[in-house]
Amino acid sequence: MSETSDKKPKQQTLKFKAEVAELLNIVINSLYTDKEIFVRELVSNASDALEKLRHLQLTEKGEMADAGSELEINIHTDEEARTFSITDTGIGMTRQEAATNLGTIAHSGSREFMKQIEEGKKVDATLIGQFGVGFYAAFMVADKVTVHTRSWQSDENPVVWSSKGAGNFSLRETDDLPRGTTITVDLREEDAEYAKADTIKSLIRKYSNFVPFPIKVNGEQVNTIQPLWMKSKSDISDEELTEFYRFVANAFDEPTYKFQFNADAPLAIRSLLFVPGENLEKFGLSRMEPGVSLYCKKVMIANDVEELLPDYFRFFRGVVDSEDLPLNISRETMQDSALVAKLKRVLTGRLLKFLAEEAKDDAKKYEEFFKSFGMFIKEGAASDFEHRDDLAKLLRFDSTHDTETMTSLPDYVERMKEDQQAIYYISGPNREAIEAGPYLEALQERDFEVIYCYEGIDDFVMTTLREFDGKSLISADQADLKLPDKENEAQEDALDDKAAGDLASWIKNQLGDEVEEVRVSKRLTNSPALLVNPDEMMTTGMRRVMQAANRDLGPMGKLILEINPGHMILKRIEELRNEEGGSNLAGQAVHLMLDNARIAAGLLVDPKSLVERSTQILEAALNKR
Ligand code: ADP
Ligand code: MG
């Protein structure tokens, strides 16, 4: 928007920001289902505007337009004129605000919404509000949308915003208006049903029953206003809770968990919190924003408050009401408020306890929850020192123990063998890949359980936790894996210690800088060789993450190659290197063995030299015949 002079023209036509135009195009042309949700979105905006006003009334000293008017939402339907209009006595908008709020998209999630649709993904139109572009839903049913609005700030002039959705909108000044906003939708012919009072009434009962202000349709009040969280537990039905979740989360699905928590000490708290049905962040959508609103004695202080829960609990949706909070606390002061910090501590503790209880009551359901929301728990376990133990208990992993059910760390500890000192884990892309690799051998021989880590963050969690229940967490690819001795039926005809030691030095010579060291392995039985880590913080899982990010690990990145002196390949290399003219082929075999060990560790190898070596060795093998 460019303005040429300070004095605003009476009437202006402005272009939508490109992304709004794009969004509108999609809304108008692609979202045919669930058009009805536009009612919910407009009511929800009216309710937001009223909440903000109610809060201002308590905190603003200055003069306010129409200070005495009732806080309510009035809907008018006119079948003849084919219009739907909704009026609120909320904060309204200044000219500038109307241009910005209704002409641009401030929310980060909306880009994702459009991308999904553009990529031809089936997108649920009911999600539109969660992406923060609810206002535009009106264009699903509108030929034209007109917004009359007047800000609560008494020195601002009322304005009219209107648009047909095609690329631009107009703004003009108007004569005096009462404070608040009226949105008039000129309905398309095929959407005439939304000009019927009965249709609208039933939609309000369906979607907006918990709006905490009276909603009247042609003068008749439709909703029952009662903040659900102030009722006692026994008076709230399960259906009401679900309905309430849908209202606060602006969602349509079943919540995964419903959580009601009331307390009188150390703080007075009444709260209803929910784990949503879906983790939108998991689908690669943008970060989930906090979605818990803070109230004081039924008056909303702020919505989507960041300071109320730790960052990793950002997926919770709901309401927290505490009469101990001062009403005039602002978004800015919340961060420094000791009371809010205290509230956060209490809530965090309760939520952790609550999740632990749910996990105990219904382990299968908790596992489903974890599959979808586990990333948040991991994030917490790796970042929240204060609640680390409780978060660690909430983690779930696949392991050697059971292919069906995931395990927790306490269950693992329960099953530990008498002579087992540590909790072992190994990272790899999936169960199959890990089980095909060489790392489990030594541990399985001793009947020690091994936890599988599939994601980069898992390794990170393990290395930051370092221990659980007094037991170290150890990556099975660690170089000095101290294992209780095992009577190894000395592999017959294995190379003797001297020969094996010499061979190791010779191999190190062949490999040069590619490895830190070559050692004779004490743990291998079936595989010829494996790579282990001299640095316990830099597990192979972490290496894979670094490699994927194209980070050069430098000298600290070097690994130790362990060789199995009982394995046929090593024995044959030993013979070959001593044969006349055999050392070249033996050298190639050693390099190939290293590449195989890298692949088993999930690390990248240079495909060109791999192919060259394999070819040479194949030729040699076939020549022998
Ligand atoms: P969201 O509600 O998630 O912010 P919307 O697309 O629904 O996104 O609304 C965009 C913005 O327009 C709101 O954030 C608000 O600033 C403004 N707005 C919409 N409706 C009203 C209203 N009835 N009163 C005041 N402001 C409104
Ligand atoms: Mg909205």
Side-chain angles (χ1 to χ4, degrees), residues 431-478:
R431 180 181 286 276
E432 291 68 34
I434 291 174
E435 291 179 353
Y439 293 99
L440 299 179
E441 278 177 25
L443 293 157
Q444 279 194 317
E445 244 172 61
R446 288 164 179 84
D447 217 10
F448 291 176
E449 182 173 351
V450 183
I451 284 171
Y452 297 165
C453 294
Y454 303 142
E455 289 165 38
I457 189 174
D458 293 340
D459 269 62
F460 188 65
V461 170
M462 293 304 203
T463 43
T464 31
L465 283 179
R466 296 194 85 119
E467 57 169 49
F468 177 78
D469 200 6
K471 321 271 185 301
S472 302
L473 291 160
I474 297 205
S475 176
D477 66 357
Q478 221 167 75

Side-chain angles (χ1 to χ4, degrees), residues 204-331:
I204 286 167
R205 286 192 201 100
K206 179 167 170 190
Y207 293 117
S208 311
N209 211 16
F210 290 100
V211 169
F213 301 94
I215 305 175
K216 296 175 180 168
V217 176
N218 301 336
E220 182 194 334
Q221 182 164 334
V222 182
N223 63 332
T224 42
I225 358 164
Q226 41 165 223
L228 198 64
W229 63 93
M230 299 307 276
K231 285 171 87 176
S232 76
K233 269 189 199 187
S234 51
D235 291 343
I236 308 177
S237 72
D238 213 39
E239 291 71 50
E240 274 178 312
L241 278 177
T242 300
E243 223 183 295
F244 184 73
Y245 154 75
R246 290 181 175 159
F247 169 66
V248 286
N250 212 351
F252 210 50
D253 51 8
E254 277 291 321
T256 305
Y257 288 127
K258 305 165 190 171
F259 174 45
Q260 185 179 15
F261 166 55
N262 298 337
D264 296 318
L267 281 173
I269 300 174
R270 308 192 70 89
S271 64
L272 286 175
L273 294 168
F274 303 87
V275 174
E278 303 253 41
N279 172 7
L280 295 178
E281 205 166 305
K282 192 178 142 211
F283 297 126
L285 297 181
S286 61
R287 216 177 126 82
M288 272 180 107
E289 299 297 334
V292 178
S293 307
L294 185 59
Y295 284 73
C296 169
K297 289 188 243 171
K298 305 184 213 168
V299 177
M300 187 192 271
I301 296 177
N303 58 355
D304 306 343
V305 183
E306 269 175 46
E307 292 80 0
L308 218 46
L309 291 176
D311 216 25
Y312 56 84
F313 272 167
R314 60 186 174 276
F315 58 93
F316 277 100
R317 296 285 173 266
V319 166
V320 173
D321 192 316
S322 176
E323 58 179 48
D324 292 335
L325 287 174
L327 252 180
N328 62 2
I329 190 167
S330 69
R331 255 179 205 286

Side-chain angles (χ1 to χ4, degrees), residues 6 49 168 170 200 299 438 492 505:
D6 269 359
N168 51 35
S170 74
I200 301 301
V299 177
E492 282 173 36
S505 323

Side-chain angles (χ1 to χ4, degrees), residues 45-46 48-49 88 92-93 101-102 107 132-135 181:
N45 285 348
D48 288 349
D88 65 74
M93 283 175 273
N101 299 347
L102 308 180
H107 304 270
V133 288
F135 171 74
T181 304

Side-chain angles (χ1 to χ4, degrees), residues 382-430:
S383 63
D384 184 349
F385 191 80
E386 197 184 334
H387 299 103
R388 174 185 283 193
D389 277 351
D390 290 326
L391 284 156
K393 286 180 194 154
L394 291 173
L395 296 169
R396 293 293 179 274
F397 300 97
D398 276 357
S399 86
T400 43
H401 175 69
D402 187 339
T403 51
E404 299 295 313
T405 314
M406 295 172 93
T407 187
S408 68
L409 291 172
D411 287 349
Y412 179 107
V413 170
E414 188 85 357
R415 287 190 292 265
M416 276 170 71
K417 295 280 167 303
E418 223 162 278
D419 56 346
Q420 184 178 349
Q421 306 293 335
I423 298 171
Y424 297 101
Y425 65 94
I426 185 66
S427 62
N430 52 48

